[in-house]
Amino acid sequence: MQSKPVRIGTRGSALALAQAHETRDRLMKAHGLPEDAFQIAVIKTSGDRILDRALSEVGGKGLFTKEIEDALLSGDIDFAVHSSKDMPTLLPDGLEISAFLPREDVRDAFISPKAATLLDLPQGAVVGSASLRRQAMIKRLRPDLEVVTYRGNVQSRLKKLGEGVVDATLLAYAGLKRLGLGDVVTSVLDEDAFLPAVGQGAICIESRVGDERVNALLAPIHHEETAICVAAERAFLTELDGSCRTPIAGLARVADSTVVLRGLILKPDGSVFHEGMREAAIADAAEMGAELGLALKAEAGPGFLTE
């Protein structure tokens, strides 16, 4: 190990830092290294600065990764830690997703002082969410609810909920657990009824292609089952040209020697949706994901994802 600390790039939110710390701690344990062998570099992204508009209006997922990827390409950091669901389907030339940590709970959490579940909310209640997928799926289940765009980090969203800005919100259960906030959850939505975002609950590590030193460092903490599942989900998303402008959900699970993928696409108002499932050998996970994406795109017809 060289004397210079390994530089880990991350956003500066409490959740992003928790994910970077988890990655560092796993590396410390795997390699028997002290904490000062690593340096966490906080990088502010466009998505962190723009909080008054929906991401779909200002560029989508890349807003949370561009500045970090620029730092990777310039050599200012050695690798970056991301939430997999924030990653664009296409990465800049020279960069790759090189490792995944074991996936956390994939489900969405319902939080409200007004009702025990989403279905129990009173008619016309206001639900805040920054995710077009969650907004569309809420409207699919409860078209009577008022769904509003609701951005900010986890703590600020919980604060606004406490102040009565909205009656309820939905957040990733994985993020709340990583922040030690699992006790704020009113109920957890079943993944079969409320399919999560592609990559939800999975921490991924992005690095420069061909960086053997970093690859060797990351190898002991890489979780292959998570990588297989997310590969299928991202291939599904890629064929649908998925971004923050499109309500898309997808979840893969390894079962024995196969991968099972469920996918869903919706109109933003939840009024029309198309869903499907595929199963394939583990070696064919990405190909299977792409096939399901193409099948749902064909079923939905021209314009469904762009209208």
Side-chain angles (χ1 to χ4, degrees):
M1 175 62 65
Q2 77 291 353
S3 57
K4 189 167 69 171
V6 175
R7 296 158 298 175
I8 303 173
T10 177
R11 294 168 59 201
S13 71
L15 178 55
L17 289 171
Q19 295 178 159
H21 289 155
E22 180 179 343
T23 303
R24 180 200 63 192
D25 293 348
R26 287 178 180 270
L27 288 169
M28 289 168 56
K29 183 177 181 180
H31 295 281
L33 293 170
E35 187 175 312
D36 61 9
F38 301 91
Q39 177 185 348
I40 292 179
V42 174
I43 300 168
K44 193 158 190 175
T45 69
S46 301
D48 297 312
R49 288 190 291 267
I50 302 170
L51 297 175
D52 59 341
R53 285 166 284 168
L55 291 179
S56 57
E57 297 175 5
V58 288
K61 291 185 178 183
L63 292 171
F64 287 126
T65 59
K66 183 183 183 303
E67 288 84 355
I68 296 174
E69 290 172 334
D70 288 345
L72 253 181
L73 290 168
S74 69
D76 290 340
I77 57 175
D78 294 300
F79 62 83
V81 178
H82 303 282
S83 293
S84 296
K85 67 184 180 65
D86 290 338
M87 294 296 286
T89 52
L90 295 176
L91 303 183
D93 289 342
L95 299 182
E96 64 181 354
I97 297 176
S98 45
F100 289 89
L101 301 192
R103 198 171 198 172
E104 244 291 2
D105 198 306
V106 301
R107 295 174 294 173
D108 286 299
F110 173 79
I111 308 168
S112 175
K114 304 286 182 70
T117 70
L118 178 66
L119 295 178
D120 292 329
L121 280 170
Q123 187 165 351
V126 180
V127 183
S129 176
S131 159
L132 287 189
R133 173 191 63 89
R134 289 184 184 125
Q135 290 177 1
M137 294 181 76
I138 292 166
K139 292 171 184 174
R140 173 189 174 191
L141 291 172
R142 288 286 307 271
D144 61 291
L145 297 177
E146 181 183 352
V147 183
V148 299
T149 299
Y150 188 67
R151 289 200 56 210
N153 61 37
V154 170
Q155 289 81 357
S156 67
R157 294 189 211 187
L158 292 175
K159 182 173 183 288
K160 287 190 284 187
L161 176 64
E163 293 169 348
V165 175
V166 295
D167 298 312
T169 189
L170 272 63
L171 295 170
Y173 192 27
L176 292 167
K177 291 174 73 173
R178 288 185 176 119
L179 289 169
L181 295 172
D183 59 344
V184 307
V185 175
T186 309
S187 59
V188 181
L189 285 82
D190 183 83
E191 67 186 51
D192 292 328
F194 209 92
L195 206 61
V198 163
Q200 186 156 309
I203 295 171
C204 69
I205 300 171
E206 185 180 24
S207 62
R208 291 179 289 275
V209 173
D211 191 329
E212 297 305 325
R213 180 180 68 90
V214 167
N215 289 342
L217 182 71
L218 297 175
I221 68 168
H222 173 64
H223 192 253
E224 184 62 18
E225 182 176 318
T226 298
I228 291 164
C229 292
V230 177
E233 294 167 22
R234 284 176 59 79
F236 167 70
L237 190 67
T238 298
E239 291 301 332
L240 294 164
D241 298 320
S243 71
C244 282
R245 295 178 292 277
T246 312
I248 296 173
L251 178 64
R253 295 285 197 190
V254 171
D256 298 322
S257 59
T258 64
V259 185
V260 178
L261 172 67
R262 293 180 57 223
L264 170 70
I265 57 176
L266 309 94
K267 287 287 190 184
D269 65 0
S271 61
V272 183
F273 59 90
H274 299 273
E275 56 189 331
M277 184 174 71
R278 290 286 190 282
E279 183 173 355
I282 285 173
D284 301 323
E287 181 181 353
M288 179 255 300
E291 288 175 358
L292 181 57
L294 288 170
L296 290 190
K297 183 187 282 189
E299 180 181 310
F304 184 89
L305 295 167
T306 56
E307 286 176 357

